[in-house]
Amino acid sequence: SAVISQKPSRDICQRGTSLTIQCQVDSQVTMMFWYRQQPGQSLTLIATANQGSEATYESGFVIDKFPISRPNLTFSTLTVSNMSPEDSSIYLCSVVGGITDTQYFGPGTRLTVL
Amino acid sequence: GNSVTQMEGPVTLSEEAFLTINCTYTATGYPSLFWYVQYPGEGLQLLLKATKADDKGSNKGFEATYRKETTSFHLEKGSVQVSDSAVYFCAPTPGAGSYQLTFGKGTKLSVIP
């Protein structure tokens, strides 16, 4: 399975600011996804990060709030913009690579917004 | 689209007890089925998977069988340990080449000595 790292692992941010989360994979992968896990909740898919084109967002998530980049097959970023306390969550990236349909997850970024 | 119904928690068991966490799903295609585990303070790890009917996924003493006739993928372990304390998520894909997972609500398991 791919080795996935995320930066930062955690952060505490002020209301109204933005945070960019990085996801790096040690090998080229087919698909990359971003999820949100609110406290005590399950995972919700934010978007599919598409290499070289705009991300595909799920219902309830918009590009202005969660801009995503994926410049190549091993790297993606998610920005949480104009943050509010409701954005306090764990943000996880996941990847699918090769011939498998299995998703592997990064360690997550724990975000607290004050 | 997919939906998944997972047994509500929390579940508290004594060490060496038998564990079952029920999971049923709806899917229009032929989904792949996954169980993920989240240990306290950590990210998600793949526990096991099954990709077609009657397949049995297994790992770390856990097992789950892909039951197409009942659209179920129940997780079982014969003898749980304290180290199994975690949150368990059932997640199918839609199949037909789509990789998007739909996660159940998660079942928190606590194993006491």
Side-chain angles (χ1 to χ4, degrees):
Chain A
S1 64
V3 176
I4 308 163
S5 60
Q6 283 186 235
K7 289 183 186 178
S9 58
R10 59 177 63 232
D11 207 343
I12 301 173
C13 300
Q14 296 298 319
R15 181 195 300 260
T17 62
S18 298
L19 176 72
T20 296
I21 302 168
Q22 298 179 3
C23 178
Q24 179 74 55
V25 193
D26 69 342
S27 59
Q28 294 185 348
V29 293
T30 309
M31 309 284 288
M32 296 183 79
F33 302 95
W34 286 98
Y35 288 83
R36 180 176 73 183
Q37 186 179 25
Q38 293 176 301
Q41 302 296 311
S42 186
L43 280 77
T44 302
L45 180 64
I46 298 172
T48 303
N50 299 310
Q51 193 253 330
S53 64
E54 192 172 290
T56 305
Y57 289 85
E58 297 300 305
S59 176
F61 297 96
V62 295
I63 188 171
D64 289 346
K65 176 66 176 178
F66 297 102
I68 289 170
S69 77
R70 189 180 172 194
N72 56 50
L73 294 176
T74 63
F75 184 78
S76 178
T77 66
L78 167 74
T79 299
V80 186
S81 303
N82 188 24
M83 288 184 285
S84 67
E86 292 71 35
D87 294 319
S88 298
S89 296
I90 300 173
Y91 292 86
L92 301 104
C93 70
S94 72
V95 305
V96 175
I99 60 173
T100 178
D101 63 350
T102 302
Q103 277 190 44
Y104 294 96
F105 285 81
T109 296
R110 186 178 296 270
L111 171 62
T112 301
V113 184
L114 303 178
Chain B
N2 277 18
S3 67
V4 55
T5 302
Q6 187 176 336
M7 189 172 88
E8 295 277 342
V11 174
T12 302
L13 296 174
S14 297
E15 210 165 16
E16 299 184 1
F18 183 86
L19 169 71
T20 299
I21 301 177
N22 290 338
C23 172
T24 57
Y25 64 91
T26 62
T28 54
Y30 297 92
S32 294
L33 305 174
F34 301 85
W35 277 99
Y36 286 87
V37 58
Q38 187 172 35
Y39 296 102
E42 299 186 13
L44 253 67
Q45 298 178 24
L46 176 67
L47 181 60
L48 54 82
K49 72 173 190 178
T51 57
K52 61 182 187 296
D54 300 324
D55 267 2
K56 178 185 285 187
S58 61
N59 186 26
K60 300 182 179 181
F62 290 88
E63 293 183 339
T65 301
Y66 190 143
R67 300 288 188 198
K68 191 170 186 297
E69 64 277 12
T70 55
T71 61
S72 65
F73 193 52
H74 304 322
L75 183 68
E76 297 182 336
K77 185 172 185 180
S79 176
V80 294
Q81 306 300 312
V82 173
S83 57
D84 294 326
S85 298
V87 181
Y88 293 82
F89 294 94
C90 180
T93 63
S98 173
Y99 303 111
Q100 291 189 359
L101 292 168
T102 301
F103 280 87
K105 292 186 175 182
T107 302
K108 182 175 182 180
L109 170 66
S110 297
V111 181
I112 56 178

